[in-house]
Amino acid sequence: MDGTTTTAAPVLILLGPPGAGKGTQARMLEDKFGLVQLSTGDLLRAAVAAGTDAGKAAKAVMEAGDLVSDEIVIAILRDRLQEDDCAKGVILDGFPRTTVQAEALDTLLADMGQKINAAISLEVQDSEMVTRISGRFTCGSCGEGYHDTFKPTAKDGTCDKCGGTEMKRRADDNAETVAQRLEAYHAQTAPLITYYDEKGALKRLDAMGDIAAIANGLNTIVQAAIA
Ligand code: AMP
């Protein structure tokens, strides 16, 4: 028994290397399906900015492109998952990233009477990643993601979504750290593709195309997974 119920809110997982488009696509799914995007990267960056104990422990690890400890990440995710808005259903972006995290998620969801509807693997080539990551930036006010080449703002320096004018680039989006983040992905996260395949939850999506084409493919998968 996996503790599933038929009425539980949807739980979707986006798997894929850094730069695969998980954040961009999760935000689009959030708008389209009324789900909540849970990005452990965002939660950790917020903890770093707030100077919490977890944030202090995570800062140097994130700057080096390594994975933050399972203990810290699982605790942060568990707390967030129990907030009221998550009752609508969630899209996990950047979690789980290790087998220990995947097993902890199974337990957490079973305790909450929920189940994973689909784990969607965004499949891309490493060679594409540095280009994608090095051009990206976000709106400092609403968090909308952009890219110098693939998704520029309509008006230079102004967020299309909220009109904010303060744009941010991540400290770990540099070539050296990206290489380490890719290595961490292949060593520790890629095995989750098999983990979810063996559970019958895996869906694969070619994510080498443009943002709209990937969104179309993803919508079809999600629609079927939450039906
Ligand atoms: P992201 O925003 O998903 O690219 O994550 C940025 C960084 O936060 C990663 O390179 C890791 O250092 C850390 N991080 C985010 N999510 C996790 C996770 N699930 N497990 C461990 N570290 C994480």
Side-chain angles (χ1 to χ4, degrees), residues 40-41 44-45 62 66-68 73 94-95 97 101 170 172 181:
T40 41
L44 287 165
R45 281 183 286 280
M62 293 171 76
D66 291 322
L67 294 188
V68 174
V73 179
F95 184 97
R97 259 177 159 101
Q101 292 178 19
R170 279 170 48 173
D172 60 350
R181 287 162 63 198

Side-chain angles (χ1 to χ4, degrees), residues 95-169:
F95 184 97
R97 259 177 159 101
T98 64
T99 307
V100 171
Q101 292 178 19
E103 289 167 351
L105 178 64
D106 289 343
T107 307
L108 262 176
L109 292 177
D111 288 349
M112 296 167 77
Q114 289 184 269
K115 65 166 181 130
I116 294 160
N117 294 66
I120 306 161
S121 169
L122 301 183
E123 315 230 308
V124 286
Q125 288 158 14
D126 279 8
S127 54
E128 178 90 349
M129 296 302 95
V130 177
T131 321
R132 285 200 190 183
I133 291 180
S134 54
R136 67 187 190 179
F137 60 94
T138 54
C139 169
S141 304
C142 74
E144 182 70 1
Y146 294 97
H147 191 282
D148 293 327
T149 310
F150 307 121
K151 191 188 167 193
T153 52
K155 187 173 163 223
D156 221 8
T158 304
C159 177
D160 297 354
K161 203 167 182 183
C162 78
T165 52
E166 194 200 318
M167 297 296 164
K168 297 194 302 193
R169 285 180 198 261

Side-chain angles (χ1 to χ4, degrees), residues 64-79:
D66 291 322
L67 294 188
V68 174
S69 76
D70 289 329
E71 197 190 355
I72 289 178
V73 179
I74 291 165
I76 283 187
L77 195 271
R78 186 184 48 228
D79 290 350

Side-chain angles (χ1 to χ4, degrees), residues 22-119:
K22 299 186 297 295
T24 304
Q25 296 295 339
R27 291 178 74 88
M28 292 167 80
L29 290 174
E30 189 174 49
D31 289 347
K32 189 167 170 68
F33 292 97
L35 304 170
V36 174
Q37 174 198 19
L38 294 190
S39 155
T40 41
D42 286 349
L43 294 170
L44 287 165
R45 281 183 286 280
V48 171
T52 63
D53 287 347
K56 283 179 194 146
K59 188 170 188 285
V61 179
M62 293 171 76
E63 281 168 1
D66 291 322
L67 294 188
V68 174
S69 76
D70 289 329
E71 197 190 355
I72 289 178
V73 179
I74 291 165
I76 283 187
L77 195 271
R78 186 184 48 228
D79 290 350
R80 180 66 186 89
L81 209 47
Q82 281 162 0
E83 287 176 30
D84 289 346
D85 59 337
C86 293
K88 295 189 272 188
V90 296
I91 309 152
L92 297 174
D93 155 16
F95 184 97
R97 259 177 159 101
T98 64
T99 307
V100 171
Q101 292 178 19
E103 289 167 351
L105 178 64
D106 289 343
T107 307
L108 262 176
L109 292 177
D111 288 349
M112 296 167 77
Q114 289 184 269
K115 65 166 181 130
I116 294 160
N117 294 66

